[in-house]
Amino acid sequence: MTNRVPSGQQPTMYRLTAPVKAYAWGSTTLLADLARTEPSSTPQAELWFGTHPTTQTTLPDGRALADLVDLPYLVKLLAAEQPLSIQAHPTIVQAEAGFAAENAAGLAIDDPERTYRDPNHKPEMRVALTDFTAMAGFRDPTASAETFGTLAQLVEPPELAVVLSNMATQLAEGKIKEVFGQLVDTDSKFWQPDGWTRTIFTALEQAKLNDDALANALAASKIHPDDPGALVTLLMNLIHLSPGESMFIPDGTIHAYVSGLGVEVMATSDNVIRGGLTIKHIDVEELDRVVRYQPDPPPLMTPRIEHTEAMRITYFDPPVEEFALTRYDLRANQRLSVVPDRPRIAICTDGTGQLVSPEDIVKVSPGTGVYLPGNDQPLELTAGPAGVTMFIACQP
């Protein structure tokens, strides 16, 4: 980046350095493949572009982006090699109450037993960059009933077979909440080491059934062998996204990402209430208060797409006030004029190019993040010889 901005005048753009979150479920290859670099020695799970106080994105001079702006949205590149925790996010009212209560209890923001790290909700949207597998929302309980009925026939301990059979009956009656509660109850035999959960998946592995939902649950159980979160997945919609497809997760929706690389945009929050498939803090009681116990179809989005000779523009407009996302796919050596009228975060995910203003030039390649202050100064995005793909997030 060159910088020829006169003294006292705000630059028209800032190249960003995003901190890497090295969670255990991350990938050593997905972000490296995106950036055309060597695989990492440890899992890389997320790159954060935003102003959340717990994870600061920085500017070229080392200052935090938050020193310039307080963004209502957070943009991430998320790379999953293993399933994330079974989780849901609170409404604003729930977040404000939970955050205040934990502050009053004297829990530090970084305390591992803390559930609420800020007073905001966390609706989120994901656009797949590779094939991406996720679980979101409760599926038709009659389908789950059939699955639990199958498990009841596979296991040998009579007591466990009766419990699973009763769960199947409850699900056939639409009682998702009751079955969910039994599975995540940390005092139950499902949570015991070498207990019911391990017994179920040992029997399932031996049965070698051809069923996507059961295969997904079995894979999760191998990573968390005594965690009934793997059984909770059988209550959820299993979703496979192809590159470019998207989904939106509202407040209160049970979900977990399984594998793949994607762009994620959300309200600026880190409130995650977990119920399984994790070594992190589980708060079953709070999760029960937050989750919406109703079956829903997979929460897929249908973006609006425009084509021109020079590019394809894809508009992702989720039903929230905090963020929207636009994807620009420019063909080789083509140009796009941009006049940011509000703060924006731009991320390159494919190809090469450059953002040019009268004062600055930022070369972009996969993984590059740029902050555009929204000062109505014209910019031009120019694609390189292989074209370029840029995602630009803003508040609508």
Side-chain angles (χ1 to χ4, degrees), residues 328 336-342 344 372 374-380:
Y328 298 92
L336 168 69
S337 294
V338 181
V339 183
D341 59 351
R342 69 202 73 178
R344 300 170 189 258
L372 310 176
N375 50 15
D376 292 319
Q377 296 298 311
L379 304 173
E380 187 174 77

Coordinates of all heavy atoms in Angstrom, one line a residue, residues 328 336-342 344 372 374-380:
Y328 N -18.6 -9.2 -5.5 CA -18.2 -8.8 -6.8 C -17.2 -9.7 -7.4 O -16.1 -10.0 -6.9 CB -17.6 -7.4 -6.8 CG -18.5 -6.3 -6.2 CD1 -18.4 -6.0 -4.8 CD2 -19.3 -5.6 -7.0 CE1 -19.3 -5.0 -4.3 CE2 -20.2 -4.6 -6.5 CZ -20.1 -4.3 -5.1 OH -21.0 -3.3 -4.6
L336 N -14.2 -1.7 -11.6 CA -15.5 -1.3 -10.9 C -15.2 -0.1 -10.1 O -14.3 0.0 -9.3 CB -15.9 -2.5 -9.9 CG -17.0 -2.1 -8.9 CD1 -18.3 -2.0 -9.6 CD2 -17.1 -3.2 -7.9
S337 N -16.1 0.9 -10.3 CA -16.0 2.2 -9.5 C -16.9 2.0 -8.3 O -18.0 1.5 -8.3 CB -16.6 3.3 -10.4 OG -15.7 3.6 -11.5
V338 N -16.3 2.4 -7.1 CA -17.0 2.4 -5.9 C -16.9 3.7 -5.2 O -15.8 4.3 -5.2 CB -16.4 1.3 -5.0 CG1 -17.1 1.2 -3.6 CG2 -16.4 -0.1 -5.6
V339 N -18.0 4.2 -4.6 CA -18.0 5.4 -3.8 C -18.6 5.1 -2.5 O -19.8 5.2 -2.3 CB -18.8 6.5 -4.5 CG1 -18.7 7.8 -3.7 CG2 -18.3 6.8 -5.9
P340 N -17.8 4.6 -1.5 CA -18.3 4.2 -0.2 C -19.0 5.4 0.5 O -18.3 6.4 0.8 CB -17.1 3.7 0.5 CG -16.1 3.4 -0.5 CD -16.3 4.4 -1.6
D341 N -20.3 5.3 0.8 CA -21.0 6.3 1.5 C -21.2 6.0 3.0 O -21.8 6.8 3.7 CB -22.3 6.6 0.8 CG -23.2 5.4 0.8 OD1 -22.7 4.3 1.2 OD2 -24.4 5.5 0.5
R342 N -20.6 4.9 3.4 CA -20.7 4.5 4.8 C -19.5 3.5 5.0 O -19.0 2.9 4.1 CB -22.0 3.8 5.1 CG -22.2 2.5 4.5 CD -23.7 2.1 4.4 NE -24.3 2.9 3.3 CZ -25.6 2.8 3.0 NH1 -26.4 1.9 3.6 NH2 -26.1 3.5 2.0
R344 N -17.2 0.4 5.4 CA -17.3 -0.9 4.8 C -16.0 -1.8 5.1 O -14.9 -1.2 5.2 CB -17.5 -0.8 3.3 CG -18.8 -0.1 2.9 CD -18.8 0.2 1.4 NE -19.9 1.1 1.1 CZ -21.1 0.7 0.6 NH1 -21.3 -0.6 0.3 NH2 -22.1 1.6 0.3
L372 N -12.8 0.6 4.4 CA -13.2 1.7 3.6 C -14.0 2.7 4.5 O -15.1 2.3 4.8 CB -14.0 1.3 2.3 CG -13.4 0.2 1.5 CD1 -14.3 -0.2 0.4 CD2 -12.0 0.6 1.0
G374 N -15.9 5.2 4.2 CA -17.2 5.7 3.8 C -17.2 7.2 3.8 O -18.2 7.8 4.3
N375 N -16.2 7.8 3.3 CA -16.1 9.3 3.3 C -16.4 9.9 1.9 O -16.1 11.0 1.5 CB -14.7 9.8 3.7 CG -13.6 9.1 3.0 OD1 -13.8 8.4 1.9 ND2 -12.4 9.2 3.5
D376 N -17.2 9.1 1.1 CA -17.6 9.5 -0.2 C -16.5 9.8 -1.2 O -16.7 10.4 -2.3 CB -18.5 10.7 -0.1 CG -19.9 10.4 0.5 OD1 -20.4 9.3 0.3 OD2 -20.3 11.2 1.4
Q377 N -15.3 9.3 -0.9 CA -14.2 9.4 -1.9 C -14.2 8.3 -2.9 O -14.3 7.1 -2.5 CB -12.8 9.4 -1.1 CG -12.7 10.6 -0.2 CD -12.7 11.9 -0.9 OE1 -12.0 12.1 -1.9 NE2 -13.5 12.8 -0.4
P378 N -14.2 8.6 -4.2 CA -14.3 7.5 -5.2 C -13.1 6.6 -5.2 O -11.9 7.0 -5.0 CB -14.4 8.3 -6.5 CG -13.7 9.6 -6.2 CD -14.0 9.9 -4.8
L379 N -13.4 5.3 -5.4 CA -12.4 4.2 -5.5 C -12.6 3.4 -6.7 O -13.7 3.4 -7.3 CB -12.5 3.3 -4.3 CG -12.3 3.9 -2.9 CD1 -12.6 2.8 -1.8 CD2 -11.0 4.4 -2.6
E380 N -11.6 2.7 -7.2 CA -11.7 1.9 -8.3 C -11.1 0.5 -8.0 O -9.9 0.5 -7.6 CB -11.0 2.5 -9.6 CG -11.3 1.7 -10.8 CD -10.7 2.4 -12.1 OE1 -9.5 2.3 -12.2 OE2 -11.5 3.0 -12.8

